[in-house]
Amino acid sequence: MAKVTVDGIEVEVPNGASVLQAAELAGKEIPRFCYHDRLSVAGNCRMCLVEVEKSPKPVASCAFPVADGMVVKTDSPMVRQARRGVMEFLLINHPLDCPICDQGGECDLQDQSMGYGMDHSRYRENKRAVKDKNLGPLVKTVMTRCIQCTRCVRFAAEIAGVPELGATARGENMEIGTYVERTLSSELSGNLIDICPVGALTSKPYAFVARSWELKKTDAIDVFDAVGCNIRIDARGPEVLRILPRLNEDVNEEWLADKSRFSVDGLKRRRLDRPWVRRDGKLVEASWREAFAAIASQIKGRDPARIGAIAGDLCDAESMLALKDLMAALGSATLDCRQDGARLDATRRDFYLFNTTIAGIEDADAILLIGTNPRREAPVLNARIRKRWLAGAISIAAIGEEADLTYPVTELGSSPQALAELRRGDGAFAAILREAKRPMIVLGQGALRRVDGASVLAAAWALAAECGALSADWHGFNVLHTAAARVGALDLGFLPGAGGKDVAGMMAGGVDLLWLLGADEIDMARIGADTFDFYKGHHGDRGAARADVILPGAAYTEKNGTYVNTEGRVQRSEFAAFPPGEAREDWRILRAFAETLGHRLPYDDLPALRERLAAVAPVFGRIDDLPRRGVVDLTPPAADPAALGAEPLVPAVINYYQTDPISRASPTMAACTETHYPAIAEAAE
């Protein structure tokens, strides 16, 4: 440790730390443009100049290492003059277009020019103009504003792992671009907007929509995958206009995937805003009383065993518990949360969790991916795996369809038979797994949706036990989910009870009445023609098209909800905007309907419902508390680990940009699909 004095304050910092980091430890803020905590040091903006004792000139604090006994001044006359000079140079070519720049109010250059800028310029030459680059439907460019900080270049190469941005030419002619003009192919490209310190890269869908000070900001949780990224919802009046990431080091750091960020325009399209009832083969508008009466008339006198319920992928825990309680009151045990038919074992929590935790990926020294493409299924989690790979000394292998995951992967085969080979010790990676101190096995939904999914799960657990991935201080068995609601539903036991039927049983004519709680990912054509189907959701998607009664619900931005991510972390999302028309929160609809049937649910408000949540599953009483766990019980899942099929593993997500009702309603996601998956877009048309 080195002792450094910063403006008279002595601090102890690790050897090799920069002067800028030492200054921040001392509580001194250093202006910067090119420096970013999570990117490599470039040292090219020179805004972070400080005075170091015995140095003849100011030094760039971001790139200057500390030394024991160093004395640093961050606000001396020399430093202030140097920073003013740097700011003057930066503004030589920067256009004075703050009134029409979407970065206005959130611009580092704007903020720092207030502290170090002048009210006039000594330069009379014409400002240079740079052609704007077309980076696709998500990121808008105004490259004349670019100050060549290269944050975007470093982010694309280091974090996203898709090095498509770079600099061409030199000096005054230098430009940032994609060399040959093309659309950015990363699923994390929206983060370029956040890290750009000027208005050179902004959001194309959000262009000229609102100013930051007009927006009401609400903390929430992302539901477009199972990572549970922390987000901030920016709304103006009744409309959600923007979604940005929030900092959470244990989950998403400060990144957010593109679908989660840009699907926001799908929240106001194809919305269900009033109840509908099918009469004479046609859906007609109805009142809540009429819709409830239509459902009640079908339920009364019906055999409870012939009533079923399916929970969708975007549901909050409160609504699923209310539906489960309603089904219990009706006497039905036919309910399921696995729309895709995944063979998950819910007898123990660590059979279906990402037990290593997302932050724990950084401690692994070998990773095996089975039937998963994390780049499509969980881009932020995939970036964490890439971060671990960049740190060095790790081997990564995959079983399943070959894909570019942004880091090198050893392909072991496309079928589960490769699992059996690893258990026998065949191949070089089998030895790597057994020699690793902290190996990880990640099982995707593509491996669990198969007929032999339960056996694949058992085989993966057995391999984890045999290679030392299960110990008292390390849990290396992981299931990567793709649905935000799945883990919470499993925790609540939203599964078939004694004598109940799963999704396949319901689809095979096992029910006469079917309640779809935001369930849109099942094949609606498989629902029997005689099955009375009521759908409660927020978009007119697949489920609503087939329904006999439609009840309009609230989207995730329009309610207070509890979600459990793939690692088992319980998080709460806050209400940001009112649902449209007559739509209501899901649990309130279910509670009101239960009273219509004469079954009063044991809660009248949200606090009482959340008390009931914690009583049913104590994990819901521990909000955002996820201790690192090891394995005490090595009892394996019940299935036969040897009963593996030979068919290739199929990925769970084919089109990253359209996986749910909200993203399918989004014009921006449709444009991304047309750009990145033209064959899928043509088939949809």
Side-chain angles (χ1 to χ4, degrees):
M1 301 286 281
K3 289 185 178 179
V4 182
T5 303
V6 181
D7 292 346
I9 301 170
E10 190 176 272
V11 293
E12 243 182 74
V13 296
N15 293 321
S18 66
V19 172
L20 187 149
Q21 291 169 323
E24 290 193 335
L25 281 174
K28 303 296 180 180
E29 185 175 348
I30 305 292
R32 82 291 296 268
F33 293 115
C34 69
Y35 177 80
H36 191 282
D37 291 342
R38 303 185 197 279
L39 302 176
S40 60
V41 174
N44 53 9
C45 77
R46 319 310 283 183
M47 194 64 202
C48 64
L49 293 173
V50 297
E51 182 180 350
V52 175
E53 197 173 78
K54 298 181 181 177
S55 174
K57 58 183 181 180
V59 301
S61 61
C62 69
F64 199 81
V66 297
D68 193 41
M70 180 180 284
V71 178
V72 179
K73 297 177 183 178
T74 67
D75 197 30
S76 66
M78 176 198 285
V79 169
R80 288 195 294 271
Q81 189 60 35
R83 290 177 184 167
R84 289 190 184 110
V86 170
M87 180 59 68
E88 188 174 6
F89 276 120
L90 289 175
L91 295 178
I92 288 174
N93 287 312
H94 193 81
L96 302 178
D97 58 354
C98 296
I100 61 162
C101 177
D102 278 318
Q103 199 87 343
E106 300 171 314
C107 177
D108 293 347
L109 184 65
Q110 197 176 58
D111 294 342
Q112 292 178 35
S113 66
M114 290 295 292
Y116 301 100
M118 294 192 293
D119 61 352
H120 66 282
S121 173
R122 292 178 288 180
Y123 291 90
R124 296 290 178 262
E125 293 83 5
N126 291 330
K127 293 179 180 288
R128 79 165 188 165
V130 180
K131 179 185 175 184
D132 293 340
K133 312 297 189 295
N134 182 11
L135 301 183
L138 302 181
V139 181
K140 176 187 174 184
T141 63
V142 184
M143 299 312 293
T144 301
R145 300 172 185 158
C146 179
I147 61 171
Q148 285 99 36
C149 72
T150 68
R151 278 190 182 183
C152 57
V153 176
R154 286 174 284 146
F155 174 86
E158 297 167 13
I159 307 297
V162 184
E164 296 171 329
L165 290 172
T168 54
R170 300 176 67 185
E172 187 180 0
N173 297 319
M174 178 175 162
E175 295 185 20
I176 303 294
T178 54
Y179 307 110
V180 176
E181 192 165 285
R182 56 171 293 178
T183 299
L184 296 176
S185 62
S186 171
E187 293 81 6
L188 297 168
S189 62
N191 296 288
L192 296 170
I193 298 163
D194 295 337
I195 65 172
C196 181
V198 296
L201 302 176
T202 55
S203 172
K204 190 173 282 188
Y206 180 71
F208 310 121
V209 170
R211 288 297 197 185
S212 60
W213 55 83
E214 301 174 331
L215 306 174
K216 182 186 76 171
K217 300 168 177 60
T218 307
D219 290 348
I221 302 300
D222 172 47
V223 300
F224 288 95
D225 56 32
V227 174
C229 293
N230 288 219
I231 59 173
R232 190 187 84 195
I233 301 171
D234 288 355
R236 183 174 60 187
E239 188 177 357
V240 174
L241 298 180
R242 185 172 66 168
I243 290 177
L244 298 175
R246 282 188 294 129
L247 179 67
N248 188 322
E249 295 289 355
D250 293 329
V251 181
N252 58 303
E253 297 181 302
E254 60 186 84
W255 314 126
L256 187 63
D258 288 348
K259 181 171 53 178
S260 306
R261 183 190 297 264
F262 293 108
S263 289
V264 63
D265 54 353
L267 288 167
K268 59 184 179 182
R269 289 172 171 82
R270 294 169 57 183
R271 289 302 301 271
L272 300 174
D273 59 357
R274 68 199 68 186
W276 296 77
V277 175
R278 193 176 296 275
R279 292 175 182 150
D280 300 324
K282 293 184 179 180
L283 285 169
V284 297
E285 295 180 27
S287 66
W288 280 103
R289 189 180 299 275
E290 291 171 334
F292 283 175
I295 301 172
S297 66
Q298 293 291 328
I299 290 179
K300 288 178 180 176
R302 186 82 61 172
D303 178 6
R306 302 290 297 176
I307 302 173
I310 302 175
D313 292 347
L314 307 183
C315 297
D316 56 289
E318 288 86 351
S319 63
M320 291 188 288
L321 177 62
L323 181 54
K324 183 185 178 188
D325 286 346
L326 174 60
M327 295 295 288
L330 295 174
S332 174
T334 298
L335 61 163
D336 203 349
C337 63
R338 301 162 298 181
Q339 291 187 89
D340 53 7
R343 270 69 172 179
L344 290 159
D345 189 328
T347 56
R348 246 175 58 196
R349 203 165 186 246
D350 53 354
F351 287 164
Y352 60 82
L353 289 186
F354 199 94
N355 297 288
T356 301
T357 72
I358 296 170
I361 292 172
E362 297 183 29
D363 297 326
D365 52 4
I367 300 176
L368 173 63
L369 306 173
I370 306 170
T372 180
N373 181 338
R375 180 174 173 181
R376 287 182 183 172
E377 298 168 21
V380 173
L381 185 144
N382 191 63
R384 186 82 74 150
I385 298 176
R386 175 175 169 79
K387 180 181 179 182
R388 174 62 191 89
W389 171 75
L390 284 172
I394 189 170
S395 297
I396 306 173
I399 299 174
E401 187 179 84
E402 292 187 18
D404 176 11
L405 300 180
T406 72
Y407 41 82
V409 173
T410 302
E411 300 291 345
L412 301 180
S414 60
S415 82
Q417 292 300 321
L419 258 177
E421 294 171 6
L422 284 173
R423 292 189 62 197
R424 290 195 301 267
D426 297 348
F429 192 76
I432 291 173
L433 268 183
R434 283 164 172 77
E435 291 169 5
K437 294 181 179 178
R438 292 193 166 185
M440 272 182 67
I441 292 175
V442 181
L443 191 60
Q445 299 304 298
L448 296 170
R449 293 176 179 182
R450 300 158 49 95
V451 175
D452 61 348
S455 294
V456 176
L457 176 73
W461 179 275
L463 177 61
E466 292 160 4
C467 72
L470 307 178
S471 64
D473 61 351
W474 178 254
H475 203 321
F477 178 81
N478 303 280
V479 174
L480 178 58
H481 291 275
T482 56
R486 186 66 53 83
V487 175
L490 294 172
D491 286 340
L492 289 171
F494 202 96
L495 296 165
K501 303 175 185 65
D502 60 8
V503 168
M506 295 184 224
M507 297 294 101
V511 293
D512 297 328
L513 285 92
L514 182 59
W515 190 297
L516 300 179
L517 182 63
D520 294 276
E521 311 309 320
I522 56 177
D523 183 0
M524 300 300 165
R526 293 172 56 202
I527 300 177
D530 297 330
T531 301
F532 191 85
D533 169 18
F534 14 98
Y535 175 83
K536 203 226 63 58
H538 41 76
H539 276 74
D541 205 72
R542 299 164 182 167
R546 165 64 179 79
D548 295 296
V549 177
I550 298 173
L551 304 178
Y556 76 106
T557 58
E558 300 157 0
K559 58 187 174 184
N560 296 301
T562 303
Y563 300 91
V564 189
N565 74 348
T566 190
E567 60 181 350
R569 184 184 301 272
V570 180
Q571 302 181 106
R572 283 184 177 162
S573 187
E574 303 298 327
F575 159 89
F578 288 101
E582 298 179 42
R584 297 292 182 269
E585 289 179 85
D586 304 352
W587 74 267
R588 295 184 186 277
I589 295 172
L590 290 158
R591 176 187 165 279
F593 176 66
E595 288 197 5
T596 302
L597 295 176
H599 299 292
R600 185 179 179 85
L601 299 182
Y603 31 79
D604 297 323
D605 54 25
L606 189 61
L609 175 54
R610 285 179 169 169
E611 284 183 18
R612 166 78 176 150
L613 265 178
V616 172
V619 67
F620 286 98
R622 301 190 295 271
I623 304 301
D624 203 26
D625 177 24
L626 190 69
R628 194 72 65 83
R629 61 176 80 83
V631 187
V632 178
D633 184 2
L634 292 176
T635 305
D640 180 8
L644 301 174
E647 300 79 15
L649 293 166
V650 178
V653 175
I654 304 299
N655 175 7
Y656 163 72
Y657 296 101
Q658 293 181 319
T659 57
D660 55 84
I662 299 174
S663 59
R664 284 193 288 268
S666 165
T668 303
M669 293 297 99
C672 289
T673 299
E674 188 173 349
T675 301
H676 297 284
Y677 305 101
I680 295 176
E682 289 175 13
E685 292 172 2

